[in-house]
Amino acid sequence: MEYFRRLIEIGLKVITGSDSSWNHYKLGNTILETECLVMSGYSPMQGLLSVTSESAKSIGIDHIVGTIEPGKEADIIVVDGNPAERLNDLWNVTEVFLAGQRVDRGSKESLAATRQWPPDG
């Protein structure tokens, strides 16, 4: 957390996001990384941008994805709440659309099993 805080203080942009899992890190838990940025000093909106438009910019594909604009590809999540004010609301996904098509995300039980809780302390 201290390293994130220092990076933010010196003005570096820190991004989050991954489409891969490793070791004990499960897919779908990018929110944990983003929450760490908010705990280190980013606003919830800055955290949200770190996993959307800033991530797209960092790998040079922001002309295709990263924001919702005419002519861009967009995968969209619908959440219960406002993650721009309370990042934790990203855990409350109600719908997912991939290339304009609704995604069947499975049962509530299988969705609950994907959430990885951070260690205590």
Side-chain angles (χ1 to χ4, degrees):
M1 298 300 285
E2 181 59 30
Y3 292 117
F4 278 149
R5 193 170 294 117
R6 287 182 191 172
L7 293 172
I8 290 167
E9 286 174 2
I10 63 173
L12 292 176
K13 288 188 180 180
V14 183
I15 58 151
T16 56
S18 177
D19 287 339
S20 64
S21 58
W22 45 270
N23 201 6
H24 298 291
Y25 189 80
K26 297 178 183 178
L27 288 174
N29 285 287
T30 302
I31 301 166
L32 295 175
E33 299 168 29
T34 312
E35 287 173 331
C36 287
L37 289 179
V38 171
M39 292 167 58
S40 297
Y42 267 15
S43 70
M45 187 61 185
Q46 288 172 307
L48 197 54
L49 293 174
S50 79
V51 75
T52 55
S53 61
E54 294 298 332
S55 286
K57 285 179 194 173
S58 76
I59 57 174
I61 59 170
D62 55 309
H63 62 288
I64 302 169
V65 297
T67 56
I68 300 172
E69 298 177 62
K72 285 191 173 182
E73 297 175 16
D75 300 331
I76 298 173
I77 62 170
V78 178
V79 299
D80 183 10
N82 184 352
E85 292 179 4
R86 184 175 134 74
L87 192 71
N88 199 46
D89 286 346
L90 284 176
W91 290 111
N92 304 327
V93 175
T94 59
E95 296 285 349
V96 174
F97 293 88
L98 177 64
Q101 301 297 311
R102 184 180 170 274
V103 174
D104 180 358
R105 299 172 53 230
S107 68
K108 288 184 180 185
E109 293 79 15
S110 66
L111 292 172
T114 64
R115 172 126 191 216
Q116 182 174 340
W117 296 93
D120 291 335

